[in-house]
Coordinates of all heavy atoms in Angstrom, one line a residue:
M1 N 17.8 10.7 -14.1 CA 17.4 10.7 -12.7 C 15.9 11.1 -12.6 O 15.1 10.5 -12.0 CB 18.3 11.5 -11.8 CG 17.9 11.6 -10.4 SD 17.8 10.0 -9.6 CE 17.1 10.3 -8.1
V2 N 15.6 12.3 -13.2 CA 14.3 12.8 -13.2 C 13.3 11.9 -13.9 O 12.2 11.7 -13.5 CB 14.3 14.2 -13.9 CG1 12.9 14.8 -14.0 CG2 15.2 15.2 -13.1
K3 N 13.8 11.2 -15.0 CA 12.9 10.3 -15.7 C 12.5 9.1 -14.8 O 11.4 8.7 -14.8 CB 13.6 9.8 -17.0 CG 12.8 9.0 -17.9 CD 13.5 8.6 -19.1 CE 12.6 7.8 -20.0 NZ 13.3 7.4 -21.2
I4 N 13.5 8.6 -14.0 CA 13.2 7.5 -13.2 C 12.2 7.9 -12.1 O 11.2 7.1 -11.8 CB 14.5 7.0 -12.5 CG1 15.4 6.4 -13.6 CG2 14.2 6.0 -11.4 CD1 16.8 6.1 -13.1
V5 N 12.3 9.1 -11.5 CA 11.4 9.5 -10.5 C 10.0 9.7 -11.1 O 9.0 9.3 -10.5 CB 11.9 10.8 -9.8 CG1 10.9 11.4 -8.9 CG2 13.2 10.6 -9.1
K6 N 9.9 10.3 -12.3 CA 8.6 10.4 -12.9 C 8.0 9.1 -13.2 O 6.8 8.9 -13.0 CB 8.8 11.2 -14.2 CG 9.0 12.7 -14.1 CD 9.1 13.4 -15.4 CE 9.3 14.9 -15.2 NZ 9.4 15.6 -16.5
T7 N 8.7 8.1 -13.6 CA 8.2 6.8 -13.9 C 7.7 6.2 -12.6 O 6.6 5.5 -12.6 CB 9.3 5.9 -14.5 OG1 9.8 6.5 -15.7 CG2 8.7 4.5 -14.9
Q8 N 8.4 6.3 -11.5 CA 8.0 5.8 -10.2 C 6.7 6.4 -9.7 O 5.9 5.8 -9.2 CB 9.1 5.9 -9.2 CG 10.3 5.0 -9.4 CD 11.4 5.2 -8.5 OE1 11.5 6.2 -7.8 NE2 12.3 4.3 -8.4
I9 N 6.6 7.8 -9.9 CA 5.4 8.5 -9.5 C 4.2 8.0 -10.3 O 3.2 7.8 -9.8 CB 5.7 10.0 -9.6 CG1 6.7 10.4 -8.5 CG2 4.3 10.8 -9.4 CD1 7.1 11.9 -8.6
Q10 N 4.4 7.9 -11.6 CA 3.3 7.4 -12.4 C 2.9 6.0 -12.0 O 1.7 5.7 -12.0 CB 3.8 7.4 -13.9 CG 3.9 8.7 -14.5 CD 4.5 8.7 -15.9 OE1 5.0 7.7 -16.4 NE2 4.4 9.8 -16.6
L11 N 3.8 5.1 -11.7 CA 3.5 3.8 -11.3 C 2.7 3.8 -10.0 O 1.7 3.1 -9.8 CB 4.8 2.9 -11.1 CG 4.6 1.5 -10.7 CD1 3.8 0.7 -11.7 CD2 5.9 0.8 -10.5
L12 N 3.2 4.6 -9.0 CA 2.5 4.8 -7.7 C 1.0 5.3 -7.9 O 0.1 4.8 -7.3 CB 3.3 5.7 -6.8 CG 2.7 5.9 -5.4 CD1 2.7 4.5 -4.7 CD2 3.5 6.9 -4.6
V13 N 0.9 6.3 -8.8 CA -0.5 6.8 -9.1 C -1.4 5.8 -9.7 O -2.5 5.6 -9.3 CB -0.4 8.1 -10.0 CG1 -1.7 8.5 -10.5 CG2 0.3 9.2 -9.2
I14 N -0.8 5.0 -10.6 CA -1.6 3.9 -11.2 C -2.1 2.9 -10.2 O -3.2 2.5 -10.2 CB -0.8 3.2 -12.4 CG1 -0.7 4.2 -13.5 CG2 -1.5 2.0 -12.8 CD1 0.3 3.7 -14.6
I15 N -1.2 2.5 -9.3 CA -1.5 1.6 -8.3 C -2.6 2.1 -7.3 O -3.5 1.4 -7.0 CB -0.2 1.1 -7.5 CG1 0.7 0.3 -8.4 CG2 -0.6 0.4 -6.2 CD1 2.0 0.1 -7.8
L16 N -2.4 3.4 -6.9 CA -3.4 4.0 -6.0 C -4.7 4.1 -6.7 O -5.8 3.9 -6.0 CB -2.9 5.3 -5.5 CG -1.7 5.3 -4.6 CD1 -1.2 6.7 -4.2 CD2 -2.0 4.6 -3.3
V17 N -4.8 4.5 -7.9 CA -6.1 4.6 -8.6 C -6.7 3.2 -8.7 O -7.9 3.1 -8.5 CB -5.9 5.2 -10.0 CG1 -7.1 5.1 -10.9 CG2 -5.5 6.7 -9.9
G18 N -5.9 2.2 -9.0 CA -6.5 0.8 -9.0 C -7.1 0.4 -7.7 O -8.1 -0.2 -7.7
I19 N -6.4 0.7 -6.6 CA -6.9 0.4 -5.3 C -8.2 1.1 -5.0 O -9.2 0.5 -4.5 CB -5.8 0.7 -4.2 CG1 -4.7 -0.3 -4.4 CG2 -6.4 0.6 -2.8 CD1 -3.5 0.1 -3.5
I20 N -8.2 2.4 -5.4 CA -9.5 3.2 -5.1 C -10.6 2.6 -6.0 O -11.7 2.5 -5.5 CB -9.2 4.7 -5.5 CG1 -8.2 5.3 -4.4 CG2 -10.5 5.5 -5.5 CD1 -7.7 6.6 -4.8
I21 N -10.4 2.3 -7.2 CA -11.4 1.7 -8.1 C -11.9 0.4 -7.5 O -13.1 0.1 -7.5 CB -10.9 1.6 -9.5 CG1 -10.8 3.0 -10.2 CG2 -11.9 0.7 -10.4 CD1 -10.1 3.0 -11.5
Y22 N -11.0 -0.4 -7.0 CA -11.3 -1.7 -6.4 C -12.3 -1.5 -5.3 O -13.3 -2.2 -5.2 CB -10.1 -2.4 -6.0 CG -10.4 -3.7 -5.2 CD1 -10.8 -4.8 -5.9 CD2 -10.3 -3.7 -3.8 CE1 -11.1 -6.0 -5.1 CE2 -10.6 -4.8 -3.1 CZ -11.0 -6.0 -3.8 OH -11.3 -7.1 -3.0
F23 N -12.0 -0.6 -4.4 CA -12.8 -0.4 -3.2 C -14.1 0.3 -3.6 O -15.2 0.0 -3.0 CB -12.1 0.5 -2.1 CG -11.1 -0.3 -1.4 CD1 -9.7 0.0 -1.4 CD2 -11.5 -1.4 -0.6 CE1 -8.8 -0.7 -0.7 CE2 -10.5 -2.1 0.1 CZ -9.2 -1.8 0.1
I24 N -14.2 1.1 -4.6 CA -15.4 1.8 -5.0 C -16.3 0.7 -5.6 O -17.6 0.7 -5.4 CB -15.1 3.0 -5.9 CG1 -14.5 4.1 -5.1 CG2 -16.4 3.4 -6.6 CD1 -14.1 5.3 -6.0
T25 N -15.8 -0.1 -6.4 CA -16.7 -1.1 -7.1 C -17.1 -2.2 -6.2 O -18.1 -2.9 -6.6 CB -15.9 -1.7 -8.4 OG1 -14.7 -2.3 -7.9 CG2 -15.7 -0.6 -9.4
N26 N -16.5 -2.4 -5.1 CA -16.9 -3.5 -4.2 C -17.8 -3.1 -3.1 O -17.9 -3.8 -2.1 CB -15.6 -4.2 -3.6 CG -15.0 -5.1 -4.7 OD1 -15.7 -5.6 -5.5 ND2 -13.7 -5.3 -4.6
I27 N -18.4 -1.9 -3.2 CA -19.3 -1.5 -2.2 C -20.6 -2.2 -2.4 O -21.2 -2.1 -3.5 CB -19.5 0.1 -2.2 CG1 -18.2 0.8 -1.9 CG2 -20.6 0.5 -1.3 CD1 -18.2 2.3 -2.0
N28 N -21.1 -2.9 -1.4 CA -22.3 -3.6 -1.5 C -23.4 -2.9 -0.7 O -23.1 -2.7 0.5 CB -22.1 -5.1 -1.0 CG -21.2 -5.8 -1.9 OD1 -21.1 -5.6 -3.1 ND2 -20.4 -6.7 -1.3
P29 N -24.5 -2.7 -1.2 CA -25.6 -2.0 -0.4 C -26.1 -3.0 0.6 O -26.2 -4.2 0.4 CB -26.7 -1.7 -1.4 CG -26.4 -2.6 -2.6 CD -25.0 -2.9 -2.6
I30 N -26.4 -2.5 1.8 CA -27.0 -3.3 2.9 C -28.5 -3.3 2.8 O -29.1 -2.2 2.7 CB -26.5 -2.7 4.2 CG1 -25.0 -2.8 4.3 CG2 -27.1 -3.5 5.4 CD1 -24.4 -2.1 5.5
E31 N -29.1 -4.4 2.8 CA -30.5 -4.5 2.7 C -31.1 -5.1 4.0 O -30.4 -5.9 4.7 CB -30.9 -5.5 1.6 CG -30.5 -5.0 0.2 CD -30.8 -5.9 -0.9 OE1 -31.5 -6.9 -0.6 OE2 -30.4 -5.7 -2.0
A32 N -32.2 -4.6 4.4 CA -32.8 -5.1 5.6 C -33.4 -6.5 5.4 O -34.0 -6.8 4.4 CB -34.0 -4.1 6.0
A33 N -33.1 -7.3 6.4 CA -33.5 -8.7 6.3 C -34.8 -8.9 7.2 O -34.9 -8.3 8.3 CB -32.4 -9.6 6.8
E34 N -35.7 -9.7 6.7 CA -36.9 -9.9 7.5 C -36.7 -11.1 8.4 O -37.6 -11.4 9.2 CB -38.1 -10.2 6.5 CG -38.4 -9.0 5.7 CD -39.6 -9.2 4.7 OE1 -40.3 -10.3 4.9 OE2 -39.8 -8.4 3.9
Q35 N -35.7 -11.8 8.3 CA -35.4 -13.0 9.1 C -34.9 -12.6 10.5 O -34.2 -11.5 10.6 CB -34.4 -13.9 8.4 CG -34.7 -14.3 7.0 CD -33.6 -15.1 6.4 OE1 -32.6 -15.3 7.0 NE2 -33.8 -15.4 5.1
P36 N -35.1 -13.4 11.5 CA -34.5 -13.0 12.8 C -33.0 -13.3 12.7 O -32.5 -14.0 11.9 CB -35.2 -14.0 13.7 CG -35.7 -15.1 12.9 CD -36.0 -14.5 11.5
P37 N -32.3 -12.6 13.5 CA -30.8 -12.8 13.5 C -30.5 -14.3 13.8 O -31.1 -14.9 14.6 CB -30.3 -11.9 14.6 CG -31.5 -11.5 15.4 CD -32.7 -11.7 14.6
P38 N -29.4 -14.8 13.2 CA -29.0 -16.2 13.4 C -28.5 -16.4 14.9 O -28.1 -15.5 15.5 CB -27.9 -16.4 12.4 CG -27.3 -15.1 12.2 CD -28.5 -14.1 12.3
E39 N -28.6 -17.6 15.3 CA -28.1 -17.9 16.6 C -26.6 -17.8 16.6 O -26.0 -18.0 15.6 CB -28.6 -19.4 17.0 CG -30.1 -19.5 17.1 CD -30.5 -20.9 17.4 OE1 -29.6 -21.7 17.9 OE2 -31.6 -21.3 17.2
P40 N -26.1 -17.6 17.8 CA -24.6 -17.4 17.9 C -23.8 -18.6 17.4 O -22.7 -18.4 16.9 CB -24.3 -17.1 19.3 CG -25.6 -16.7 19.9 CD -26.7 -17.3 19.1
A41 N -24.3 -19.8 17.5 CA -23.6 -21.0 17.1 C -23.5 -21.1 15.6 O -22.5 -21.7 15.1 CB -24.3 -22.3 17.7
T42 N -24.4 -20.5 14.8 CA -24.4 -20.6 13.4 C -23.9 -19.3 12.7 O -23.9 -19.2 11.5 CB -25.8 -20.9 12.9 OG1 -26.7 -19.9 13.2 CG2 -26.3 -22.3 13.4
A43 N -23.6 -18.3 13.5 CA -23.2 -17.0 12.9 C -21.8 -17.2 12.3 O -21.0 -17.9 12.8 CB -23.1 -16.0 14.0
P44 N -21.5 -16.5 11.2 CA -20.2 -16.6 10.5 C -19.2 -15.9 11.4 O -19.4 -15.1 12.2 CB -20.4 -15.8 9.2 CG -21.6 -14.9 9.5 CD -22.4 -15.6 10.4
K45 N -17.9 -16.4 11.2 CA -16.8 -15.8 12.0 C -16.5 -14.4 11.6 O -16.7 -14.1 10.4 CB -15.6 -16.7 11.8 CG -15.8 -18.1 12.4 CD -14.5 -18.9 12.3 CE -14.6 -20.3 12.9 NZ -13.4 -21.0 12.7
K46 N -16.0 -13.6 12.5 CA -15.7 -12.2 12.2 C -14.4 -12.1 11.5 O -14.1 -11.0 10.9 CB -15.6 -11.4 13.5 CG -16.9 -11.3 14.3 CD -17.9 -10.4 13.6 CE -19.2 -10.3 14.3 NZ -20.1 -9.5 13.7
D47 N -13.6 -13.1 11.4 CA -12.3 -13.1 10.7 C -12.5 -12.7 9.3 O -11.6 -12.1 8.7 CB -11.5 -14.4 10.9 CG -11.1 -14.6 12.3 OD1 -11.0 -13.6 13.1 OD2 -10.8 -15.8 12.7
S48 N -13.5 -13.2 8.6 CA -13.7 -13.0 7.2 C -14.0 -11.5 6.9 O -13.8 -11.0 5.8 CB -14.8 -13.9 6.6 OG -16.1 -13.5 7.3
E49 N -14.5 -10.8 7.9 CA -14.8 -9.4 7.7 C -13.5 -8.5 7.9 O -13.5 -7.4 7.4 CB -15.8 -8.9 8.8 CG -17.2 -9.6 8.6 CD -18.1 -9.2 9.7 OE1 -17.8 -8.3 10.5 OE2 -19.2 -9.7 9.7
M50 N -12.5 -9.1 8.4 CA -11.2 -8.3 8.6 C -10.3 -8.5 7.5 O -9.3 -7.8 7.4 CB -10.5 -8.8 9.9 CG -11.3 -8.5 11.2 SD -11.4 -6.8 11.5 CE -9.7 -6.4 11.9
I51 N -10.5 -9.3 6.5 CA -9.6 -9.5 5.4 C -9.3 -8.3 4.6 O -8.1 -8.0 4.4 CB -10.1 -10.7 4.5 CG1 -10.0 -12.0 5.3 CG2 -9.3 -10.8 3.2 CD1 -10.6 -13.2 4.6
P52 N -10.3 -7.4 4.2 CA -10.0 -6.2 3.5 C -9.1 -5.3 4.4 O -8.2 -4.6 3.8 CB -11.3 -5.6 3.2 CG -12.3 -6.7 3.2 CD -11.8 -7.7 4.2
F53 N -9.3 -5.3 5.7 CA -8.5 -4.4 6.5 C -7.1 -4.9 6.5 O -6.1 -4.1 6.5 CB -9.1 -4.5 8.0 CG -8.3 -3.7 9.0 CD1 -8.3 -2.3 8.9 CD2 -7.6 -4.3 9.9 CE1 -7.6 -1.5 9.8 CE2 -6.9 -3.6 10.9 CZ -6.9 -2.2 10.8
Y54 N -6.9 -6.2 6.5 CA -5.5 -6.7 6.5 C -4.8 -6.4 5.2 O -3.6 -6.0 5.1 CB -5.5 -8.2 6.7 CG -5.9 -8.7 8.1 CD1 -6.7 -9.8 8.3 CD2 -5.6 -7.9 9.2 CE1 -7.1 -10.2 9.5 CE2 -6.0 -8.3 10.5 CZ -6.7 -9.4 10.6 OH -7.1 -9.8 11.9
W55 N -5.6 -6.4 4.1 CA -5.0 -6.1 2.8 C -4.6 -4.6 2.8 O -3.6 -4.2 2.2 CB -6.0 -6.3 1.6 CG -5.9 -7.7 1.2 CD1 -6.8 -8.7 1.3 CD2 -4.8 -8.3 0.4 NE1 -6.3 -9.9 0.8 CE2 -5.1 -9.7 0.2 CE3 -3.6 -7.8 -0.1 CZ2 -4.3 -10.5 -0.5 CZ3 -2.8 -8.7 -0.8 CH2 -3.1 -10.0 -1.0
M56 N -5.4 -3.7 3.4 CA -5.1 -2.3 3.4 C -3.8 -2.1 4.2 O -3.0 -1.3 3.8 CB -6.3 -1.5 4.0 CG -6.0 0.0 4.1 SD -7.3 0.9 4.9 CE -7.1 0.3 6.6
I57 N -3.7 -2.8 5.3 CA -2.5 -2.7 6.2 C -1.3 -3.1 5.4 O -0.2 -2.4 5.4 CB -2.6 -3.5 7.5 CG1 -3.7 -2.8 8.4 CG2 -1.3 -3.6 8.2 CD1 -4.0 -3.6 9.6
I58 N -1.4 -4.2 4.6 CA -0.3 -4.7 3.9 C 0.1 -3.7 2.8 O 1.3 -3.4 2.6 CB -0.6 -6.1 3.3 CG1 -0.7 -7.1 4.4 CG2 0.4 -6.5 2.2 CD1 -1.2 -8.5 4.0
I59 N -0.9 -3.2 2.1 CA -0.6 -2.2 1.0 C 0.1 -0.9 1.5 O 1.1 -0.5 1.0 CB -1.8 -2.0 0.1 CG1 -2.3 -3.2 -0.6 CG2 -1.6 -0.8 -0.8 CD1 -3.6 -3.2 -1.2
V60 N -0.6 -0.3 2.5 CA 0.0 0.9 3.0 C 1.3 0.7 3.7 O 2.3 1.5 3.4 CB -1.0 1.5 4.0 CG1 -0.4 2.7 4.8 CG2 -2.3 2.0 3.3
G61 N 1.5 -0.4 4.4 CA 2.8 -0.7 5.1 C 3.8 -0.9 4.0 O 5.0 -0.5 4.2
G62 N 3.5 -1.6 3.0 CA 4.4 -1.9 1.9 C 4.9 -0.6 1.2 O 6.1 -0.5 0.9
C63 N 3.9 0.3 0.9 CA 4.3 1.6 0.3 C 5.2 2.4 1.2 O 6.2 2.9 0.8 CB 3.1 2.4 0.0 SG 2.1 1.7 -1.4
I64 N 4.9 2.4 2.5 CA 5.8 3.1 3.4 C 7.2 2.5 3.5 O 8.2 3.2 3.5 CB 5.1 3.2 4.8 CG1 3.9 4.1 4.8 CG2 6.1 3.7 5.9 CD1 3.0 4.0 6.0
A65 N 7.2 1.2 3.6 CA 8.5 0.5 3.7 C 9.3 0.7 2.4 O 10.5 0.9 2.5 CB 8.3 -1.0 3.9
F66 N 8.7 0.6 1.3 CA 9.4 0.8 0.0 C 9.9 2.3 -0.1 O 11.1 2.5 -0.4 CB 8.4 0.6 -1.2 CG 9.1 0.9 -2.5 CD1 10.0 0.1 -3.1 CD2 8.7 2.1 -3.2 CE1 10.6 0.4 -4.3 CE2 9.3 2.4 -4.4 CZ 10.3 1.6 -5.0
T67 N 9.1 3.2 0.3 CA 9.6 4.6 0.3 C 10.7 4.9 1.2 O 11.7 5.5 0.9 CB 8.4 5.6 0.7 OG1 7.3 5.3 -0.2 CG2 8.8 7.0 0.6
L68 N 10.7 4.4 2.5 CA 11.7 4.5 3.4 C 13.0 3.8 2.9 O 14.1 4.4 3.1 CB 11.3 4.0 4.8 CG 10.3 4.9 5.5 CD1 9.9 4.2 6.8 CD2 10.8 6.3 5.8
S69 N 12.9 2.7 2.3 CA 14.0 1.9 1.8 C 14.7 2.7 0.7 O 15.9 2.9 0.6 CB 13.6 0.6 1.3 OG 13.1 -0.2 2.4
Y70 N 13.9 3.2 -0.2 CA 14.4 4.0 -1.3 C 15.1 5.3 -0.9 O 16.2 5.6 -1.3 CB 13.3 4.4 -2.3 CG 13.7 5.2 -3.5 CD1 14.5 4.7 -4.5 CD2 13.5 6.6 -3.5 CE1 14.9 5.4 -5.6 CE2 13.9 7.4 -4.6 CZ 14.6 6.8 -5.6 OH 15.1 7.5 -6.6
V71 N 14.5 6.0 0.1 CA 15.1 7.2 0.6 C 16.4 6.9 1.3 O 17.4 7.6 1.1 CB 14.1 8.0 1.5 CG1 14.8 9.1 2.2 CG2 13.0 8.5 0.7
S72 N 16.5 5.8 2.1 CA 17.7 5.5 2.8 C 18.8 5.1 1.8 O 20.0 5.5 2.0 CB 17.4 4.3 3.7 OG 16.5 4.6 4.7
W73 N 18.4 4.3 0.8 CA 19.4 3.9 -0.2 C 20.0 5.2 -0.9 O 21.2 5.3 -1.1 CB 18.8 3.0 -1.2 CG 19.7 2.5 -2.3 CD1 20.7 1.7 -2.2 CD2 19.7 3.0 -3.7 NE1 21.4 1.5 -3.4 CE2 20.7 2.3 -4.3 CE3 18.8 3.8 -4.4 CZ2 21.0 2.5 -5.7 CZ3 19.1 4.0 -5.7 CH2 20.1 3.4 -6.4
R74 N 19.1 6.1 -1.3 CA 19.6 7.3 -2.0 C 20.5 8.1 -1.1 O 21.5 8.7 -1.5 CB 18.4 8.2 -2.5 CG 17.6 7.5 -3.6 CD 18.3 7.3 -4.8 NE 18.7 8.6 -5.3 CZ 19.6 8.8 -6.3 NH1 20.2 7.8 -6.9 NH2 19.9 10.0 -6.7
K75 N 20.1 8.2 0.2 CA 21.0 9.0 1.1 C 22.3 8.3 1.3 O 23.4 9.0 1.3 CB 20.3 9.0 2.5 CG 21.0 9.8 3.5 CD 20.3 9.9 4.8 CE 21.1 10.7 5.8 NZ 20.5 10.7 7.2
Y76 N 22.3 7.0 1.4 CA 23.6 6.2 1.5 C 24.5 6.5 0.2 O 25.7 6.8 0.4 CB 23.3 4.7 1.6 CG 24.5 3.9 1.5 CD1 25.5 3.8 2.5 CD2 24.8 3.1 0.3 CE1 26.6 3.0 2.4 CE2 25.9 2.3 0.2 CZ 26.8 2.3 1.2 OH 27.9 1.5 1.1
K77 N 23.9 6.4 -0.9 CA 24.6 6.6 -2.2 C 25.1 8.1 -2.2 O 26.3 8.3 -2.7 CB 23.8 6.3 -3.4 CG 23.6 4.9 -3.6 CD 24.9 4.2 -4.0 CE 24.7 2.8 -4.4 NZ 26.0 2.1 -4.8
G78 N 24.3 9.0 -1.8 CA 24.7 10.4 -1.8 C 25.9 10.7 -0.9 O 26.8 11.4 -1.2
E79 N 25.8 10.1 0.3 CA 26.9 10.3 1.3 C 28.2 9.6 0.8 O 29.3 10.2 1.0 CB 26.5 9.8 2.6 CG 25.5 10.6 3.3 CD 25.0 10.0 4.6 OE1 25.4 8.9 5.0 OE2 24.2 10.7 5.3
E80 N 28.0 8.5 0.1 CA 29.2 7.8 -0.4 C 29.9 8.6 -1.5 O 31.1 8.7 -1.5 CB 28.7 6.4 -0.9 CG 29.8 5.5 -1.3 CD 29.3 4.2 -1.8 OE1 28.8 4.1 -2.9 OE2 29.2 3.2 -1.0
K81 N 29.0 9.2 -2.4 CA 29.6 10.0 -3.4 C 30.2 11.3 -2.9 O 31.3 11.7 -3.3 CB 28.5 10.4 -4.4 CG 28.9 11.1 -5.6 CD 27.8 11.4 -6.6 CE 28.3 12.2 -7.8 NZ 27.2 12.5 -8.7
K82 N 29.6 11.9 -1.9 CA 30.1 13.1 -1.3 C 31.5 12.8 -0.6 O 32.4 13.6 -0.8 CB 29.1 13.6 -0.2 CG 29.5 14.9 0.4 CD 28.4 15.3 1.4 CE 28.8 16.6 2.1 NZ 27.7 17.0 3.0
E83 N 31.6 11.7 0.1 CA 32.8 11.3 0.7 C 33.9 11.0 -0.3 O 35.1 11.4 -0.2 CB 32.6 10.1 1.6 CG 33.8 9.6 2.4 CD 33.5 8.4 3.2 OE1 32.5 8.5 3.9 OE2 34.3 7.5 3.2
K84 N 33.5 10.4 -1.4 CA 34.5 10.1 -2.5 C 35.0 11.4 -3.2 O 36.2 11.5 -3.4 CB 33.8 9.2 -3.5 CG 34.8 8.7 -4.6 CD 34.0 7.7 -5.5 CE 34.9 7.2 -6.6 NZ 34.2 6.3 -7.5
D85 N 34.1 12.3 -3.4 CA 34.5 13.6 -4.0 C 35.4 14.4 -3.1 O 36.3 15.1 -3.5 CB 33.2 14.4 -4.4 CG 32.5 13.8 -5.5 OD1 33.1 13.0 -6.2 OD2 31.3 14.2 -5.7
S86 N 35.1 14.4 -1.8 CA 36.0 15.1 -0.8 C 37.3 14.6 -0.6 O 38.3 15.3 -0.4 CB 35.3 15.2 0.6 OG 35.2 14.0 1.1
N87 N 37.5 13.2 -0.9 CA 38.8 12.6 -0.7 C 39.6 12.8 -2.0 O 40.9 12.7 -2.0 CB 38.7 11.1 -0.5 CG 38.2 10.8 0.9 OD1 38.3 11.6 1.8 ND2 37.6 9.6 1.1
S88 N 39.0 13.1 -3.1 CA 39.8 13.3 -4.4 C 40.5 14.6 -4.4 O 40.2 15.6 -3.9 CB 38.8 13.2 -5.6 OG 38.2 11.9 -5.6

């Protein structure tokens, strides 16, 4: 049991380190432009700027959902075992 938990913690740490490295390496410096700002009709859509935010929501939400599912499953198994032991 302890070995499984350690393996899961190591996997979670590896995933989190990978995410942090990804965000650190994708930081782009902002440079001042000498051009006038584009007209509103030719400006890029704001949806493309929200994509990293959506990925962050998916990753964090997935980790939370996985953790809650795992804890609920362990609680269910523990209560099932406790009930089985008390009936014996």
